[in-house]
């Protein structure tokens, strides 16, 4: 079904695979103290509030959080693809550093940053219905970056687009090149979007809720497709989702975001086995499981994420946390390391006795205000 | 909802004041210390501004300020009168169609599309030419031509309220259609109707001017703004005394701008579509 | 199969619009027919005016068939019209069809020149303004065009005549020079009229396109295009312009329709003998049959132009076809 015919052998392949990554350089992505805030009529909204993370080549990082936790804005901020000012956004400010393959992206002027987009870092957007231009044929939406960014001629670009469409599992690619987005099904649109994202052979793929709105079977197909493409092209990937079920077994590491911050990060299996932060635990409890008895419903998390324009002191999750105590409402817990790369931000972590290190030996804090 | 409304701004009040000033001057023209608009002062032909004639005189020695003030009567009567006719008929139909929906709406709506399919200026020109061009006929013809546009605006606005909870509640309490329309819908629909109507008045004032240029506005000794500008542009007057045309053109420009700004600001001020809920 | 469904939707849409079109044209014919009955008193007197002689009156009554029941009169008249017989001027003895044939190219030229001018100014201006909304340039352009909305074509025409024709003598103040006398004199003769007509269009087109562009630029697909690393210029031209231009095209369609069917004031003021001019001249000389015939043809043309504009919009915007 996902035929990759001609993918590795065709003449066009040379354009697609980025030159081998220089192993002497450090990790693919290093984010340090990243902050993004919007000035709005209601005040300053800190959408991303001091996020630090790293991602190695070819690896996958899951970023999980509820709607409004800032995960989409984090992905945009990493890329530097921030929305222009609008009616309710008077201005955008970003600080902190983003290093991509050793190069600092935050200081780049727009024209140079643009050279990185598409060819080095690409993004798969949440909703293919709105992210594909409704009045431009699918073919041109794929070939335009090949032609403008990779300097391909018309026929080369078309050939490559055909190969890309079949590589993302679209049958009869020749016909679909001439289609408009609305003529495709939801799953096909998402495949087209992925084809566009990988067209110029990026080394880092930011996938923002790539399967939201698709039915479960198609979700699995799209996620498998992303994993296959990632393996073939040794891309690093950031998989942003509200559904912990999506990152299970697919992300090497998973970071949980809440109110603009990372509140817990660990190897995915570790996070699922030993969540330390009550919010992560609540998210885990919200995953529907096959093993659940018929009729049991996943537990939703009561309450709503805080208003980012007016934050109360203390832990941001405290108002919704069943274990919150006095200290949680007074002081903001720092993000600390519990050994083996398991980071969390909580004064009274869960099941810490199961973790490798006792709480007293916690490493230095990061990402504090 | 109230807090999120855009402030009207100082410009709005300046423009509103100008509109009121023009209306008052036109209404009280007989009591103002100005010469008759048709009185010819042979001692002062094509003069510039002076104490006797604040804006000067035209080629027949008539006082330009007086002509502009009396001319405003015709322009304002046609402008506001025809839009009032359009609002009365189009508005009522719009409220009814928007609230009732179904067959009532389908029939009236189709009718409005048919009328809108006609080229409006051509229709008005031809009907005026065939039927006559007294002040009242002009007002009536233009008013009828304005019905479908006003109908469509008010219908759309009504439909956006017709399914809101407070209307459903009023229905559930057994209020009559008439009562719901007058008490519940009208107050909500009125702001957008008024702002659209003000812009409509501006359009009609331009229309009167166009008709005057075609010799189809009110008959000539009677001044209207269109008539005065037309006279100022004919008989070599542009070369001899361009102010005959320029003063009324300026007056018209200011009034049109004021109407447009007031209408525009009102629309923004009462635009609740983006105001949450 | 998908193509067939799409075509089916398009066909159904076409059929619906055709039915509407037929109804409107039918109605127009009835109204145009009844127009003569609006005339006060005996129509023949009104039609003939000062040329009222017994034989002429008999001719009018015969032509109008006024002694027969109204529906019969209408059918006879409609039959004539359908055979291309729109009647003949009592004054010039020229047929209505001939007059229209001579006048129409002038309207066409005015429309083409003025709309080319309007698009050439409005589109680049809107693109530049929408790129950085609320900055100095955008505010200036927005305020200026708002002001231009309050300058009626006849005031602008007077000002143009005053400045460019009376003071500077750059353009002829009135009259039309036929294309056979050279392209430049011809274009010069329609220049002032075209500018007067273009100004209003510029204001409307700029404001429509600017606001559509600004909202389009907030769309996800623009962010996606940015993420591809495409240049701002390319994104504006290839991704934002087309989805933003539909209300512009719709308004241009209506505008072109009304200009084609009589830019009355501008033609009359600059003495350009297009349809609008001919209608006014016929009204002045009480040539009512001429007015009736031209009004009929022009109204039908207006409806057809709008219909064509609608169809064009359907072809250009693949979303409309979804029904």
């Amino acid at each position: 079904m996902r035929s990759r015919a001609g993918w590795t052998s065709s003449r066009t392949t040379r354009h697609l695979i980025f030159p081998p990554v220089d192993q002497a350089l450090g990790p693919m992505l290093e984010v340090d103290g990243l902050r993004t805030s919007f000035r709005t009529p209601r005040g300053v909204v800190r959408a991303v509030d001091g996020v630090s993370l790293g991602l190695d080549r070819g690896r996958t990082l899951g970023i999980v959080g509820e709607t409004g936790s800032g995960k989409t804005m984090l992905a945009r901020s990493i890329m530097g693809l921030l929305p222009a000012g609008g009616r309710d956004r008077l201005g955008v400010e970003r600080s902190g550093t983003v290093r991509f393959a050793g190069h600092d992206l935050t200081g780049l002027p727009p024209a140079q940053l643009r050279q990185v987009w598409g060819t080095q870092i690409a993004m798969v957007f949440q909703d293919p219905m709105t992210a594909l231009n409704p009045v431009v044929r699918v073919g041109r939406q794929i070939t335009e970056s090949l032609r403008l960014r990779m300097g391909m001629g018309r026929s080369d670009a078309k050939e490559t687009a055909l190969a890309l469409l079949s590589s993302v599992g679209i049958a009869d690619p020749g016909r679909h090149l001439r289609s408009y987005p609305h003529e495709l099904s939801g799953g096909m649109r998402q495949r087209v979007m992925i084809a566009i994202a990988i067209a110029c052979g990026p080394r880092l793929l930011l996938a923002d809720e790539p399967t939201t709105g698709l039915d479960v079977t198609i979700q699995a197909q799209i996620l498998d497709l992303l994993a296959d493409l990632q393996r073939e092209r040794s891309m690093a990937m950031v998989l942003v989702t509200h559904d912990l079920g999506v990152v299970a077994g697919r992300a090497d590491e998973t970071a949980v975001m809440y109110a603009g911050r990372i509140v817990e990060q660990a190897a995915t299996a570790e996070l699922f086995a030993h969540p330390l932060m009550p919010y992560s635990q609540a998210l885990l409890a919200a995953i529907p499981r096959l093993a659940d008895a018929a009729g049991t419903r996943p537990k939703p998390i009561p309450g709503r994420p805080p208003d980012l324009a007016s934050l109360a002191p203390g832990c941001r999750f405290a108002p919704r946390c069943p274990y919150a105590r006095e200290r949680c409402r007074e002081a903001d817990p720092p993000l600390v390391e519990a050994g083996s790369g398991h980071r969390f931000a909580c004064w009274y972590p869960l099941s810490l006795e199961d973790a490798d290190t006792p709480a007293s030996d916690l490493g230095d804090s990061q990402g504090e205000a | 909802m109230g807090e999120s409304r855009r402030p009207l701004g100082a410009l709005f009040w300046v423009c509103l004041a100008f509109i009121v000033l023009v209306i008052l001057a036109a209404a009280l023209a007989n009591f103002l210390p100005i010469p008759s608009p048709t009185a010819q002062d042979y001692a002062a032909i094509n003069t510039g501004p002076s104490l006797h004639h604040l804006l000067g005189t035209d080629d027949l020695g008539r006082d330009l300020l007086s002509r502009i003030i009396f001319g405003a009567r015709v322009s304002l009567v046609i402008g506001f009168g025809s839009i009032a006719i359009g609002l009365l008929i189009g508005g009522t139909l719009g409220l009814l169609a928007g609230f009732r929906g179904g067959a009532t709406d389908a029939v009236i709506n189709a009718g409005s599309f048919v009328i809108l399919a006609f080229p409006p200026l051509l229709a008005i020109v031809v009907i005026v030419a065939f039927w006559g061009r007294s002040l009242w006929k002009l007002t009536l013809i233009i008013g009828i031509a304005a019905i479908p546009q006003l109908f469509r605006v008010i219908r759309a606005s009504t439909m956006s309220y017709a399914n809101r909870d407070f209307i459903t509640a009023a229905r559930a309490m057994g209020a009559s259609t008439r009562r719901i329309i007058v008490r519940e819908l009208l107050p909500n629909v009125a702001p957008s109707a008024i702002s659209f109507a003000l812009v409509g008045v501006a359009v009609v004032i331009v229309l009167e001017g166009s008709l005057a240029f075609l010799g189809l506005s009110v008959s000539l000794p009677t001044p209207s703004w269109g008539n005065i500008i037309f006279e100022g542009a004919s008989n070599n007057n542009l070369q001899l005394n361009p102010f005959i045309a320029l003063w009324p053109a300026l007056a018209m420009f200011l009034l049109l701008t004021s109407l447009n700004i007031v209408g525009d600001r009102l629309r923004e001020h009462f635009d609740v579509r983006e105001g949450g809920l | 199969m998908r193509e067939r469904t799409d075509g089916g939707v398009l066909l159904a849409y076409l059929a619906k619009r055709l039915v509407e079109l037929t109804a409107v044209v039918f109605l127009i014919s009835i109204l145009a027919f009844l127009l003569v009955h609006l005339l006060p008193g005996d129509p023949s007197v009104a039609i003939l005016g000062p040329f009222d002689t017994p034989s002429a009156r008999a001719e009018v009554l015969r032509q109008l068939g006024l002694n027969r029941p109204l529906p019969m009169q209408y059918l006879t008249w409609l039959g004539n019209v359908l055979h291309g017989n729109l009647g003949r001027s009592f004054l010039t003895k020229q047929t209505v069809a001939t007059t229209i044939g001579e006048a129409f190219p002038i309207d066409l030229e005015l429309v083409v020149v003025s709309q080319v001018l309007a698009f050439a100014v409005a589109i680049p201006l809107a693109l530049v303004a929408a790129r950085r909304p609320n900055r100095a340039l955008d505010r200036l352009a927005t305020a200026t065009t708002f002001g231009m909305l309050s300058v009626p074509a006849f005031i602008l025409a007077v000002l143009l005549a005053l400045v460019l024709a009376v003071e500077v003598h750059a353009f002829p103040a009135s009259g039309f020079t036929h294309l056979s006398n050279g392209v430049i004199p011809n274009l010069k003769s329609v220049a002032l009229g075209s500018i007067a007509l273009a100004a209003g269009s510029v204001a409307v087109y700029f404001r429509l396109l600017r606001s559509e562009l600004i909202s389009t630029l907030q769309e996800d697909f623009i962010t996606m295009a940015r993420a591809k690393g495409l240049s701002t210029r390319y994104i504006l031209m290839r991704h934002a312009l087309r989805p933003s231009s539909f209300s512009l095209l719709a308004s241009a369609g209506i505008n072109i329709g009304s200009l084609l069917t009589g830019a009355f004031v501008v033609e009359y003021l600059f003495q350009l003998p297009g349809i609008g001019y001919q209608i006014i001249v016929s009204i002045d000389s009480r040539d009512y049959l001429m007015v009736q015939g031209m009004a009929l043809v022009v109204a039908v043309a207006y409806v057809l132009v709008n219909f064509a504009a609608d169809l064009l919009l359907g072809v250009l915007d693949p979303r409309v076809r979804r029904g």
Side-chain angles (χ1 to χ4, degrees), chain A residues 257-296:
Chain A
M257 266 191 100
Y258 189 76
R261 287 194 178 169
I262 291 185
V263 291
E264 181 160 11
Q265 184 179 358
T268 307
E270 160 76 8
L271 184 83
F272 275 65
H274 306 289
L276 294 178
M277 159 87 193
Y279 179 62
S280 314
Q281 189 194 40
L283 278 181
L284 280 168
I287 308 177
R289 283 165 211 276
L290 280 177
D292 285 348
T296 20

Side-chain angles (χ1 to χ4, degrees), chain C residues 12-303:
Chain C
Y13 174 73
L14 201 73
K16 180 172 167 276
R17 298 281 297 135
L18 264 174
V19 171
E20 280 173 25
L21 185 78
T22 318
V24 169
V25 168
F26 177 65
L27 211 75
I28 287 175
S29 73
I30 292 181
L31 291 180
F33 166 74
L34 289 178
L35 218 46
V36 178
H37 293 268
L38 266 180
L39 293 171
D42 181 348
S44 66
V45 177
I47 285 172
L48 290 168
F51 307 97
D52 187 6
T53 63
S55 65
R57 188 183 294 189
E59 165 76 3
V60 170
L61 288 176
R62 192 187 59 76
Q63 272 209 3
L64 298 177
L66 283 174
N67 38 4
R68 294 182 301 139
L70 223 52
M72 290 306 293
Q73 289 181 34
Y74 170 71
L75 286 179
T76 317
W77 175 80
L78 190 66
N80 284 337
V81 168
L82 288 177
H83 285 94
N85 177 9
L86 287 164
R88 187 182 286 275
S89 163
F90 281 97
L91 221 59
T92 60
K93 301 293 172 201
Q94 202 176 29
T95 64
V96 174
T98 318
T99 312
I100 290 174
E102 286 169 5
F104 186 70
I106 296 171
D107 292 270
L108 204 60
E109 185 177 355
L110 270 176
V111 168
V112 170
V113 176
S114 71
Q115 295 304 295
V116 166
L117 272 177
F119 281 124
V121 176
I123 293 176
L125 200 60
L127 284 167
V128 175
R131 186 174 167 178
R132 295 183 202 287
N134 292 324
R135 297 286 187 84
L137 191 119
D138 176 45
R139 281 172 188 269
L140 183 71
T142 305
T144 310
T145 49
F146 191 86
M148 278 162 71
L149 290 178
S150 303
V151 182
F154 58 86
I155 288 187
L156 189 68
V158 167
L159 293 178
L160 284 171
L162 184 65
V163 175
L164 292 176
V166 176
E167 301 290 333
V168 189
H169 296 288
F171 297 98
S174 66
F176 178 73
T177 311
H178 200 266
L179 197 59
S180 58
N181 298 320
V183 178
I184 299 296
N186 167 260
L187 281 179
K188 269 189 159 181
S189 72
V190 297
L192 291 186
S194 302
I195 295 172
L197 293 177
S201 305
V202 167
V204 173
Y205 295 169
F206 167 81
R207 297 176 69 81
L208 275 176
L209 184 58
R210 173 193 171 271
S211 75
E212 291 275 313
L213 272 172
I214 287 175
S215 69
T216 301
L217 289 174
Q218 309 277 326
E219 296 273 357
D220 282 356
F221 62 80
I222 296 297
T223 314
M224 167 116 171
R226 286 173 65 210
K228 290 179 187 173
L230 304 171
S231 69
T232 308
R233 193 191 164 86
Y234 180 90
I235 292 173
L236 275 173
M237 300 296 294
R238 302 303 294 266
H239 281 279
L241 186 56
R242 193 165 140 191
S244 308
S245 59
F246 299 119
S247 53
L248 171 74
L249 287 174
S251 129
I254 294 170
N255 212 352
I256 289 171
S258 54
L259 290 181
L260 265 183
T261 56
F264 292 98
V265 177
V266 163
E267 287 181 3
Y268 193 60
L269 200 71
F270 293 112
Q271 303 281 300
L272 301 169
I275 302 251
Y277 175 89
Q278 296 293 358
I279 289 180
I280 300 303
V281 167
S282 306
I283 287 174
D284 277 352
S285 52
R286 305 166 75 87
D287 200 347
Y288 289 112
L289 274 186
M290 194 82 165
V291 178
Q292 182 192 38
M294 283 201 287
L296 172 70
V297 170
V298 155
V300 171
Y302 176 87
V303 173

Side-chain angles (χ1 to χ4, degrees), chain B residues 71-218:
Chain B
R73 283 186 166 181
V74 174
S75 297
L76 290 175
V77 165
I78 295 182
F80 282 94
S82 62
I83 293 299
I85 293 173
L87 264 185
L88 203 69
I89 301 176
T92 310
L93 290 175
L95 281 165
L96 209 65
F99 177 65
R100 282 268 182 83
T104 318
D105 181 44
V107 170
I108 307 179
N109 199 28
S112 81
F113 268 114
V114 169
I115 300 180
L116 280 175
F118 284 87
L121 185 58
L122 173 78
I124 291 168
V125 161
V126 169
I127 292 174
V128 171
F130 276 78
W131 193 37
R133 51 196 182 109
S134 74
L135 184 61
W136 305 114
K137 281 181 181 171
L138 281 168
T139 309
L140 186 65
I141 291 167
I142 298 174
I144 290 172
I147 290 174
Q149 287 283 3
L150 291 162
F151 161 76
R152 299 202 60 73
V153 170
I154 290 168
R155 169 179 174 268
S157 176
T158 306
M159 282 168 73
S160 75
Y161 287 103
N163 292 318
R164 296 272 183 89
D165 287 345
F166 66 93
I167 301 296
T168 320
R171 271 183 171 168
M173 285 167 64
S176 67
T177 301
R178 185 199 172 90
R179 188 182 166 86
I180 292 176
I181 287 181
V182 174
R183 287 293 184 81
E184 308 285 348
L185 284 171
L186 193 59
N188 282 298
V189 170
S192 67
I194 288 171
S195 83
F196 193 80
L198 284 174
V199 177
V201 171
V203 171
V204 174
I205 289 177
V206 172
L207 189 60
E208 186 279 326
S210 305
L211 288 175
F213 267 72
L214 307 173
L216 291 174
S217 185
V218 288

Side-chain angles (χ1 to χ4, degrees), chain A residues 34 36-38 45-48 69-83 89 92 94 123 126 208 240 257 260:
Chain A
L34 189 63
T36 300
S37 46
F38 297 102
V45 170
R46 292 171 215 272
V48 178
S69 60
K71 53 195 195 309
T72 292
M73 215 38 82
L74 173 62
R76 297 269 181 98
S77 304
I78 289 173
M79 204 165 169
L81 186 70
L82 293 169
R89 284 189 186 130
V92 189
R94 187 179 64 152
M123 186 175 266
Q126 215 174 94
D208 181 10
V240 176
M257 266 191 100

Side-chain angles (χ1 to χ4, degrees), chain A:
Chain A
M1 162 143 191
R2 270 186 310 282
S3 110
R4 281 179 292 280
W7 184 248
T8 45
S9 58
S10 117
R11 184 171 57 83
T12 55
T13 314
R14 269 176 287 129
H15 297 288
L16 294 167
I17 292 178
F18 205 76
V21 175
D22 182 0
Q23 296 299 325
L25 293 169
M28 185 91 280
L29 181 70
E30 296 161 279
V31 175
D32 191 26
L34 189 63
R35 286 191 161 75
T36 300
S37 46
F38 297 102
R39 275 185 294 124
T40 73
R42 295 185 307 122
V44 174
V45 170
R46 292 171 215 272
V48 178
D49 196 7
V51 167
S52 302
L53 49 84
L55 177 60
D56 286 330
R57 290 150 213 288
R59 310 273 286 174
T60 300
L61 171 68
I63 294 181
V64 183
E66 288 167 287
T67 308
S69 60
K71 53 195 195 309
T72 292
M73 215 38 82
L74 173 62
R76 297 269 181 98
S77 304
I78 289 173
M79 204 165 169
L81 186 70
L82 293 169
R87 209 189 138 111
D88 47 355
R89 284 189 186 130
L90 306 171
V92 189
E93 266 168 52
R94 187 179 64 152
S95 65
T97 55
V98 176
R99 296 178 75 79
F100 172 74
H103 300 284
D104 186 2
L105 296 183
T106 37
L108 286 184
Q112 282 185 39
L113 190 58
R114 197 154 67 66
Q115 297 304 315
V116 176
W117 291 347
T119 55
Q120 305 286 319
I121 308 178
M123 186 175 266
V124 172
F125 286 80
Q126 215 174 94
D127 179 3
M129 188 67 228
T130 59
L132 295 174
N133 193 326
V135 300
V136 177
R137 287 177 204 276
V138 165
R140 210 190 85 204
Q141 302 199 45
I142 301 176
T143 55
E144 63 183 358
S145 34
L146 294 170
R147 299 195 59 194
L148 289 157
R149 304 299 315 284
M150 309 292 282
M152 284 190 200
R154 189 182 295 273
S155 59
D156 271 2
K158 191 182 169 192
E159 223 176 290
T160 311
L162 287 171
L164 279 164
L165 281 185
S166 28
S167 81
V168 296
I170 287 183
D172 196 358
R175 183 162 69 95
H176 287 116
L177 275 186
R178 291 186 305 276
S179 302
Y180 287 99
H182 72 259
E183 295 169 343
L184 306 178
S185 68
M188 292 232 280
R189 279 198 285 265
Q190 193 55 277
R191 287 171 194 272
V192 166
M193 177 119 79
I194 292 169
I196 293 173
I198 62 170
C200 300
R203 293 193 280 172
L204 172 62
L205 189 65
L206 303 171
D208 181 10
E209 302 263 16
T211 57
T212 311
L214 300 178
D215 68 53
V216 184
T217 7
I218 313 247
Q219 270 194 24
Q221 287 174 12
I222 297 285
L223 289 169
D224 289 342
L225 169 67
L226 280 171
D228 289 349
L229 290 168
Q230 184 189 13
R231 209 173 307 123
E232 278 164 30
R233 328 176 117 221
S234 60
M235 282 187 301
M237 181 157 81
V238 174
L239 185 57
V240 176
T241 176
H242 65 276
D243 181 0
L244 265 173
V246 164
V247 296
R250 297 182 198 276
D252 304 298
E253 265 195 56
T254 296
V256 176
M257 266 191 100
Y258 189 76
R261 287 194 178 169
I262 291 185
V263 291
E264 181 160 11
Q265 184 179 358
T268 307
E270 160 76 8
L271 184 83
F272 275 65
H274 306 289
L276 294 178
M277 159 87 193
Y279 179 62
S280 314
Q281 189 194 40
L283 278 181
L284 280 168
I287 308 177
R289 283 165 211 276
L290 280 177
D292 285 348
T296 20
R297 293 178 148 266
K299 267 198 303 190
I301 307 172
R304 270 202 262 168
D307 179 2
L308 294 174
S310 53
L311 283 168
C315 176
R316 292 168 187 202
F317 187 58
R320 299 168 74 186
C321 181
Y323 313 110
R325 297 184 221 171
E326 198 70 1
R327 190 182 183 191
C328 302
R329 299 190 185 90
E330 283 162 3
D332 205 0
L335 188 66
V336 293
E337 183 141 354
S340 65
H342 195 150
R343 301 191 292 164
F344 66 96
C346 184
W347 293 122
Y348 304 104
L350 308 155
S351 63
L352 194 61
E353 58 276 14
D354 301 340
D356 304 344
T357 340
S360 47
D361 287 359
L362 297 173
D364 37 352
S365 62
Q366 296 170 37
E368 211 184 341

